[in-house]
Amino acid sequence: MTTLTGELLHPSITDPEMDSMRLLSETALRFPDALSFSSGAPYDGNHDLANLSYYTDRYIKHLRDKGVPEARISRLLFQYGPVNGLIQDDVALMLRQDEGIDVAPEAVMITHGFQEAALVALRGLFTSPRDVLLSVSPAYVGIRGAARMLDIPIRGVPEGPDGLDPDAVAAAARAVRAEGGRPTALYLVPDFNNPSGTVLPLDARRRLLEIAEEEDLFVLEDNPYGLFAREGETMPTLKSLDTRGRVLYLGSFAKSAFPGARLGYLVADQEVTDASGTVRTLAQTLSKAKAMYSVGSSTLSQAVIGGYLAEHRHDLRSATRELAAVYLERLDATLAALARHFPPGGDHGVSWNTPRGGFFLVLKVPFTADLAAMERSARDHGVSWAPMTMFHLDGGGRREIRLGFSNLAPEAIDEGIARLARFIADTPRETPRSAPRETTGDTV
Ligand SMILES: Cc1ncc(COP(=O)(O)O)c(C=O)c1O
């Protein structure tokens, strides 16, 4: 039997940071008795097995209603499908209604979740080892992992209470250039960032697009949570404000439908001229990368999601109103429980930010909140969470934890925060000087 040592494998495989996605999703399984604030798993109270076949049939009906011949429907669903997908026209309709994003179906690629959209976009845009990805920090672990898999250097731009400061993005781009690199693209989640819950204000969105033009940056806009804003507080996406073709929009059905479908999409309407002079969209051009990652997205998943879209007349914003209310109730329950257990002026050393929506908030605690602390919390106090160090790109967040409240009912949230308060009271405090030095800005 040949034995391998880690050094023989690609560094992304042995890098402990690459384990965070698995750790976050498996914490609930490892500690089944703990109340889990550790992941961003969506609410599953309305998952009904009957819907899987219902929506598939609904999609088949949708195709029949459009006059697609029976033999073609059968071929579309059973055979290898078109690489860029079956439901681009449905997604384009949805984007027009929900987000004011007006693109042709040819500008849409259906992907295996956000994750594949990120891999495809990065693969296409990053051409040399000098190319650097700028990213909001703290950031969703999936983007760091995708960049690492492709050997793309990533540079964090620390966010503040209102998300990314566009001038900090410009400064980071210039710093990369001064070091001999090429800042190629910027990744961010303008609406309810994971992990911090921040929302980028409208004027900053406009300014960021100007900076992208000035600094010659593409913008990778990731928007899984934008539908879950409070009534009247919805922000225009960067893509809908983008008049210069700077933004690639990365979508996911993980939260607006369900994550088991593993379905997302990439919107890339930029025009690309090939060697023969043929002009195609960037999404069509990148289909070579998509073909080599996954050949095509599951036709079954596309049928279910296509049926879900057709059933709701491609208006997911209306279709997810009740779901949004569920998440907002959970956010409010978390904030209320925190205020009860850690009253203002109390000697607890705990503070937190107050997002207006989304699935997450960040708590500052008076000790190092690492994985060992999380395991102690889950094992001895029955409550799990995520260390913020997993999300910081430059070593920050040591005394911060991410609370994901999306998959806990309000009563469980009350109990979970009570347990968390006991864990925090039980954990010896570190004086700021005894704690390792933070290297990036605060998130709260
Ligand atoms: C910021 C962010 N982007 C994307 C996703 C969804 O990714 P996928 O479609 O690969 O499940 C998540 C899910 O947690 C997320 O938090």
Side-chain angles (χ1 to χ4, degrees):
M1 173 70 86
T2 308
T3 54
L4 293 177
T5 56
E7 302 87 75
L8 291 173
L9 302 174
H10 187 268
S12 65
I13 308 299
T14 46
D15 183 349
E17 282 176 358
M18 292 288 284
D19 227 12
S20 35
M21 185 79 86
R22 189 186 60 79
L23 285 170
L24 290 177
S25 47
E26 290 182 5
T27 303
L29 295 175
R30 284 182 56 218
F31 302 101
D33 297 330
L35 291 169
S36 174
F37 289 96
S38 54
S39 86
Y43 170 66
D44 45 21
N46 54 11
H47 289 168
D48 180 350
L49 285 174
N51 282 342
L52 295 176
S53 47
Y54 177 81
Y55 288 133
T56 306
D57 289 343
R58 182 69 184 79
Y59 183 65
I60 293 169
K61 177 177 181 307
H62 174 60
L63 293 180
R64 284 182 182 139
D65 290 349
K66 288 208 296 190
V68 181
E70 216 57 16
R72 179 157 167 76
I73 296 178
S74 164
R75 209 174 63 229
L76 282 175
L77 290 186
F78 285 105
Q79 271 297 0
Y80 287 106
V83 172
N84 275 15
L86 304 181
I87 59 169
Q88 294 97 312
D89 46 354
D90 298 292
V91 171
L93 263 176
M94 172 199 84
L95 286 169
R96 199 162 305 138
Q97 297 199 86
D98 284 349
E99 307 293 353
I101 294 174
D102 196 2
V103 290
E106 293 72 33
V108 179
M109 172 192 288
I110 308 299
T111 57
H112 191 90
F114 157 84
Q115 197 63 26
E116 192 190 32
L119 286 165
V120 168
L122 292 176
R123 181 61 296 153
L125 297 178
F126 286 71
T127 58
S128 119
R130 287 177 51 231
D131 293 356
V132 176
L133 174 66
L134 305 179
S135 167
V136 62
S137 179
Y140 175 50
V141 294
I143 192 66
R144 174 202 289 209
R148 188 89 171 92
M149 296 270 291
L150 299 174
D151 294 316
I152 293 172
I154 185 165
R155 183 187 185 109
V157 186
E159 66 170 356
D162 287 329
L164 268 185
D165 173 356
D167 292 327
V169 173
R174 285 177 209 141
V176 167
R177 256 187 228 106
E179 292 160 12
R182 187 174 80 106
T184 301
L186 166 75
Y187 165 84
L188 79 161
V189 180
D191 293 283
F192 311 120
N193 188 23
N194 175 5
S196 58
T198 56
V199 173
L200 195 65
L202 184 57
D203 51 349
R205 289 177 194 235
R206 296 212 165 96
R207 182 80 190 112
L208 193 63
L209 292 171
E210 285 168 13
I211 298 278
E213 184 68 14
E214 285 162 25
E215 299 296 334
D216 195 17
L217 288 172
F218 283 108
V219 176
L220 305 180
E221 178 179 26
D222 176 13
N223 185 21
Y225 305 111
L227 290 178
F228 307 119
R230 283 173 210 273
E231 214 62 61
E233 295 189 8
T234 299
M235 285 283 193
T237 58
L238 289 170
K239 185 67 192 160
S240 68
L241 299 170
D242 175 30
T243 52
R244 300 181 178 112
R246 286 279 155 196
V247 180
L248 280 72
Y249 185 83
L250 293 85
S252 171
F253 288 105
K255 314 292 154 121
S256 57
F258 63 101
R262 300 305 308 124
L263 220 63
Y265 50 93
L266 172 66
V267 178
D269 57 341
Q270 294 77 7
E271 289 186 346
V272 182
T273 311
D274 68 15
S276 68
T278 309
V279 179
R280 294 197 284 160
T281 66
L282 181 57
Q284 289 172 313
T285 308
L286 290 177
S287 110
K288 292 188 189 73
K290 159 84 186 161
M292 290 305 157
Y293 280 127
S294 62
V295 182
S297 294
S298 155
T299 55
L300 275 180
S301 284
Q302 294 186 74
V304 177
I305 298 297
Y308 174 69
L309 290 172
E311 176 77 4
H312 296 290
R313 292 189 292 284
H314 302 88
D315 177 0
L316 287 197
R317 195 166 285 286
S318 303
T320 53
R321 277 301 78 201
E322 278 178 28
L323 193 56
V326 168
Y327 292 133
L328 290 167
E329 186 188 21
R330 289 168 183 213
L331 167 60
D332 292 341
T334 307
L335 291 169
L338 286 171
R340 263 198 316 282
H341 288 281
F342 305 104
D347 178 33
H348 40 67
V350 173
S351 60
W352 57 92
N353 66 338
T354 50
R356 296 288 303 160
F359 283 26
F360 309 102
L361 60 79
V362 177
L363 201 69
K364 283 187 172 211
V365 292
F367 52 82
T368 301
D370 54 12
L371 263 186
M374 195 285 284
E375 295 197 5
R376 225 173 34 251
S377 170
R379 201 181 45 242
D380 301 344
H381 292 274
V383 59
S384 68
W385 37 267
M388 277 293 287
T389 48
M390 284 184 173
F391 307 96
H392 277 267
L393 296 175
D394 305 302
R398 287 183 195 279
R399 293 165 149 231
E400 295 175 1
I401 71 181
R402 184 192 74 173
L403 293 181
F405 42 79
S406 49
N407 199 23
L408 286 174
E411 313 74 59
I413 287 172
D414 274 356
E415 173 58 23
I417 299 295
R419 293 182 189 184
L420 185 68
R422 287 197 285 276
F423 162 69
I424 290 173
D426 243 33
T427 304
R429 280 195 198 193
E430 294 159 13
T431 60
R433 246 175 298 136
S434 71
R437 203 168 60 82
E438 299 283 307
T439 55
T440 59
D442 284 345
T443 55
V444 282

